[in-house]
Amino acid sequence: MTEPTAAPPVPKAELHVHLEAGAAPALVRRNADRYGVDVSRLFDDEGRYLWTDFTTFLTAYDLAASVFRTPEDFAGLAESYQLDAAAAGSVYTEFFVSPDFGNRSGLGYRAYLDGIVEGLRRAEAAAGIVGRLIPLIERHYGPERGVEAARAAVNNLVPEVVGFGMAGEERLYAPHEFRPAFEVAAEAGLPLTCHAGEWCSWEGVAATLDALPVRRIGHGVRAIENADLVRRIAAEGIHLEICPVSNVTLGVYGSYADHPLLKLRAAGVRHSLNSDDPPFFWTSVGHEYRVGRDTFGLSDAELAGVTRMAIEDAFCDEATKARLFARL
Ligand SMILES: [Zn+2]
């Protein structure tokens, strides 16, 4: 990742980071050496992840994820992400974790979760950064596996698990088909978020808000296509987890000039700035805030306001929020 200018000197917080996609190239190389896996085709000459389209992105993602195999590997992943984020001035990260991925990795969800939690606790002890977890449904596996993911989440509630959500292929299945899964999580008291309005139009955001009792939307930026929907989101205080670099890198928007961040802000929509799948999109929490300042023209005071909104709408408990506000 090129870092031409320093990140804005404001405390930062993120609500939308996929843990498995947060593995820095150096960490992947270290694990790959240990397991004897050839990952040379993963990286370009500068050591950055190399992919050109969604298919090669998924291949790269799977290969990188394949070198995380033990609870300690996942502890190292969570710890290293948090230490890098803390060095960039971040005080808080909510990670998406996947019960289905935990099972696919061969470890089982609980051992995977326990490893991640250990890494978060080590990072907090070392650098003060707080990490919390949002287990999620991988939408493309369908509503039945969604219910299984929700049951896994509520049967393995550790203090770090603070919410529940859904990511994955937005163009498959309608939101209401996942209502049984979200009800399992809601009944256990977990606040909810769901990816929408990234690959599908504003209608996907509206359908999600109609069908599921979510407080936040992952991305949600394409709500901008319908003024009534934007007014509804602002009025209901729905928080959009906005990921500008991800949106432009994946071509949801052709350029930052086309990205609706400033219009959504002007409409009074609550939001945060997030790195999504950071090293794969050649970004980081520091870089998102840098883009906020250098490309969108936000002042340090405005960026500090974004961090405040993120903590206000975080899914952690009030005592944790009070600790975080004290650091702003
Ligand atoms: Zn995402």
Side-chain angles (χ1 to χ4, degrees), residues 13-311:
E14 288 186 287
L15 305 180
H16 188 128
V17 181
H18 298 264
L19 180 74
E20 285 83 46
L27 178 64
V28 169
R29 281 184 196 279
R30 261 202 315 278
N31 284 16
D33 284 348
R34 195 148 40 80
Y35 289 122
V37 176
D38 178 9
V39 291
S40 52
R41 68 193 161 90
L42 261 180
F43 306 108
D44 67 13
D45 292 343
E46 293 170 38
R48 302 165 17 133
Y49 283 112
L50 181 64
W51 56 273
T52 51
D53 56 28
F54 198 58
T55 306
T56 52
F57 164 70
L58 288 179
T59 310
Y61 175 94
D62 283 344
L63 182 55
S66 76
V67 300
F68 294 90
R69 302 181 180 181
T70 67
E72 177 52 33
D73 289 344
F74 285 100
L77 172 56
E79 182 183 24
S80 78
Y81 184 90
Q82 288 292 74
L83 294 178
D84 286 350
S90 184
V91 298
Y92 184 74
T93 313
E94 276 178 19
F95 292 97
F96 294 121
V97 296
S98 165
D100 214 292
F101 179 87
N103 291 328
R104 291 202 306 279
S105 74
L107 265 185
Y109 174 57
R110 186 57 193 240
Y112 153 92
L113 182 68
D114 287 344
I116 294 164
V117 165
E118 165 66 19
L120 295 180
R121 291 178 184 175
R122 290 200 309 237
E124 183 171 347
I129 185 169
V130 176
R132 294 291 182 263
L133 302 172
I134 303 177
L136 50 65
I137 296 168
E138 297 187 53
R139 183 171 182 150
H140 38 276
Y141 292 131
E144 282 173 26
R145 269 167 78 175
V147 171
E148 287 170 26
R151 289 211 182 102
V154 304
N155 289 335
N156 295 280
L157 285 179
V158 295
E160 282 78 3
V161 169
V162 294
F164 186 73
M166 179 159 71
E169 177 50 79
E170 189 188 344
R171 290 161 286 201
L172 293 175
Y173 304 103
H176 69 83
E177 296 180 74
F178 294 95
R179 201 178 290 144
F182 277 79
E183 278 169 0
V184 168
E187 279 166 17
L190 292 173
L192 306 171
T193 179
C194 182
H195 283 54
E198 180 189 18
W199 298 109
C200 292
S201 73
W202 68 271
E203 290 170 296
V205 179
T208 301
L209 293 177
D210 289 342
L212 304 172
V214 296
R215 301 209 326 228
R216 302 193 326 226
I217 294 280
H219 299 288
V221 282
R222 293 187 60 187
I224 200 68
E225 295 160 15
N226 182 296
D228 286 339
L229 177 61
V230 172
R231 277 191 286 275
R232 173 186 177 184
I233 289 169
E236 294 181 5
I238 301 292
H239 180 110
L240 302 189
E241 303 153 7
I242 298 181
C243 312
V245 176
S246 165
N247 292 157
V248 172
T249 304
L250 288 177
V252 175
Y253 293 100
S255 71
Y256 290 108
D258 297 328
H259 194 282
L261 172 65
L262 295 180
K263 287 182 185 150
L264 291 164
R265 283 177 59 83
V269 170
R270 300 183 63 78
H271 60 281
S272 47
L273 287 173
N274 305 278
S275 60
D276 201 5
D277 301 330
F280 285 92
F281 299 153
W282 311 298
T283 188
S284 64
V285 60
H287 187 60
E288 299 291 334
Y289 275 68
R290 188 183 303 118
V291 167
R293 179 190 62 196
D294 296 348
T295 304
F296 291 103
L298 301 181
S299 68
D300 284 354
E302 287 170 323
L303 289 169
V306 171
T307 301
R308 180 163 288 278
M309 254 188 294
I311 293 171

